[in-house]
Amino acid sequence: MPIPIRVAACHVSSIFLSAKKTTQKAIGLIEQAAARRANLVVFPETFIPAFPVWSAIRPPTANHDLFTRMAIESIYADGEEIQDIRAAAKEFNVMVSLGFSEKVGFSSATLFNSNLFISGQGEVVIHHRKLVPTFFEKLTWAPGDGHGLRVAETPFGKIGSLICGENTNPLARYALMAQGEQIHISTWPAIWPTRLDPSRDGKDATGPTTSRGANYDNVAANRTRAAGHCFEAKCFGVLCCGVLGKDSIKEISGGSAHLRRVLEDSQRGATMFLDPTGAQLTGFTVNNETQTQTPTPFLQDVEGILYADINVEDCVEGKQYHDVVGGYQRLDVFDFKVNRTRRCPATFVSQDDAKTVQD
């Protein structure tokens, strides 16, 4: 019998391009959420050390310094920062889903948009690299692989995650559904501008969608994708977005009043919860002084932690109608395969290796 779970979605900003300071902030948030009886703490896309939104609004030739800093401040999946967060997860007995920009030992500048799922014992259960960086993200990150297309088996249910635009990929989503996913985490950046003259349309998370020719309405797009997945999988959804800090705006704009306005006026992403029908599930925030809970449908313009209490038993009923990996699927017609091989740039075979094989 699954245990009810309290999820804490951290709607927060990075300390811009500072892996150390952002890690310290993450640990503080883990401790705070654990004190409020959270079982799972979720952080946004590439929370450590930042999301490279500069590639959306500045030409590549103007971003060499920022990319260099991004490469330096990105972290290893087994590095000091991750070790500290794993230790915090174990100390406070909470699971952690962490978005980070990952660097690797085989290159000084190849980066991946990655996410770790860490157990309450501090063990890495899932290490996922975003399959395909989206649009301008290709200027920062390399394509990942299928190694992390897994769900975590927990006492609270089966938990999976995809990063931002991956939630548009029906095959990636189906790979998680086919493993019985019951809670789906989707992580998103603070803003995702597509034009240098952002429209104010759709600024509020409950407002209208943007008109044609206006800036991309990432709130509507994120909610639509996540809701579709929840309805198809009959699972709960956790949408966790970042917040664009004043330090990020100052450094990315580089003194340009126009770029500052672009960053300030771009629509903020919204952090929210969805139920297994895809409908919005009202969460709650906790007052730091009084500890009182306030029902809150979403967080958008200000930092905070949004909580929700979930029981995956509520995922069962909808499976009667459409179980797209079971009774509502034609396994004799469709044959779906997923390659989970972790890709590396080369396979080296030495003479000693050859002798060992022959012997």
Side-chain angles (χ1 to χ4, degrees):
M1 186 74 68
I3 305 170
I5 180 175
R6 176 165 292 182
V7 182
C10 297
H11 187 74
V12 291
S13 65
S14 308
I15 308 300
F16 187 68
L17 290 179
S18 174
K20 182 177 181 179
K21 291 180 179 179
T22 306
T23 299
Q24 292 172 344
K25 181 173 182 176
I27 292 171
L29 291 164
I30 292 169
E31 181 177 7
Q32 178 180 326
R36 293 167 180 169
R37 297 184 290 109
N39 308 109
L40 169 63
V41 184
V42 181
F43 291 95
E45 180 177 12
T46 62
F47 179 61
I48 302 175
F51 181 82
V53 69
W54 54 82
S55 291
I57 63 173
R58 295 166 40 151
T61 51
N63 292 331
H64 300 313
D65 289 345
L66 284 170
F67 178 79
T68 298
R69 290 174 61 189
M70 183 74 165
I72 291 171
E73 291 296 324
S74 293
I75 61 178
Y76 295 106
D78 60 353
E80 178 182 348
E81 297 84 1
I82 296 299
Q83 297 297 334
D84 289 346
I85 290 172
R86 289 176 59 184
K90 182 177 181 180
E91 178 181 355
F92 299 109
N93 190 29
V94 294
M95 301 175 293
V96 175
S97 174
L98 176 72
F100 67 106
S101 180
E102 179 188 357
K103 60 184 175 184
V104 290
F106 61 75
S107 173
S108 61
T110 291
L111 306 176
F112 294 98
N113 183 338
S114 297
N115 197 90
L116 289 183
F117 189 91
I118 300 168
S119 74
Q121 292 73 49
E123 299 298 323
V124 174
V125 180
I126 305 171
H127 175 194
H128 178 55
R129 293 172 176 170
K130 189 174 183 179
L131 296 170
V132 181
T134 309
F135 190 33
F136 59 81
E137 296 172 5
K138 292 179 174 67
L139 296 171
T140 299
W141 292 307
D145 53 43
H147 182 76
L149 291 176
R150 306 168 187 270
V151 299
E153 300 266 3
T154 80
F156 311 96
K158 297 179 180 180
I159 304 174
S161 66
L162 290 173
I163 304 166
C164 194
E166 291 186 312
N167 292 278
T168 314
N169 187 324
L171 301 183
R173 295 192 300 103
Y174 186 85
L176 300 184
M177 292 185 210
Q179 298 171 73
E181 184 185 42
Q182 295 166 303
I183 298 174
H184 179 74
I185 299 167
S186 57
T187 58
W188 314 87
I191 62 172
W192 209 78
T194 54
R195 298 176 185 275
L196 289 180
D197 188 17
S199 168
R200 301 294 289 198
D201 292 346
K203 182 185 178 185
D204 188 88
T206 59
T209 58
T210 50
S211 60
R212 183 177 180 182
N215 202 30
Y216 187 79
D217 187 345
N218 63 301
V219 171
N222 297 353
R223 186 173 55 217
T224 298
R225 288 178 279 189
H229 182 75
C230 290
F231 181 81
E232 292 175 4
K234 312 306 180 198
C235 70
F236 285 93
V238 182
L239 287 77
C240 187
C241 288
V243 174
L244 191 67
K246 293 181 179 179
D247 55 345
S248 299
I249 294 174
K250 179 180 179 181
E251 295 214 44
I252 294 171
S253 62
S256 166
H258 175 59
L259 292 183
R260 174 178 284 275
R261 184 178 69 83
V262 169
L263 294 169
E264 290 177 344
D265 288 354
S266 289
Q267 182 192 44
R268 270 40 184 171
T271 291
M272 65 182 76
F273 297 100
L274 303 174
D275 72 16
T277 71
Q280 194 165 334
L281 176 67
T282 297
F284 61 89
T285 54
V286 180
N287 183 284
N288 289 329
E289 296 181 359
T290 65
Q291 301 303 309
T292 56
Q293 298 180 7
T294 302
T296 307
F298 61 87
L299 293 177
Q300 187 174 22
D301 292 327
V302 297
E303 286 193 274
I305 302 179
L306 188 66
Y307 297 87
D309 293 325
I310 291 170
N311 191 328
V312 298
E313 285 189 1
D314 296 335
C315 299
V316 174
E317 181 178 327
K319 291 282 189 178
Q320 296 181 99
Y321 319 133
H322 309 104
D323 188 348
V324 299
V325 297
Y328 210 72
Q329 184 57 273
R330 285 294 301 274
L331 302 178
D332 57 328
V333 177
F334 301 107
D335 184 11
F336 180 57
K337 297 181 180 179
V338 179
N339 184 351
R340 283 178 168 172
T341 304
R342 175 63 89 204
R343 297 297 181 180
C344 58
T347 300
F348 296 97
V349 179
S350 68
Q351 187 66 26
D352 290 340
D353 293 333
K355 289 180 179 179
T356 300
V357 171
Q358 290 171 3
D359 294 342

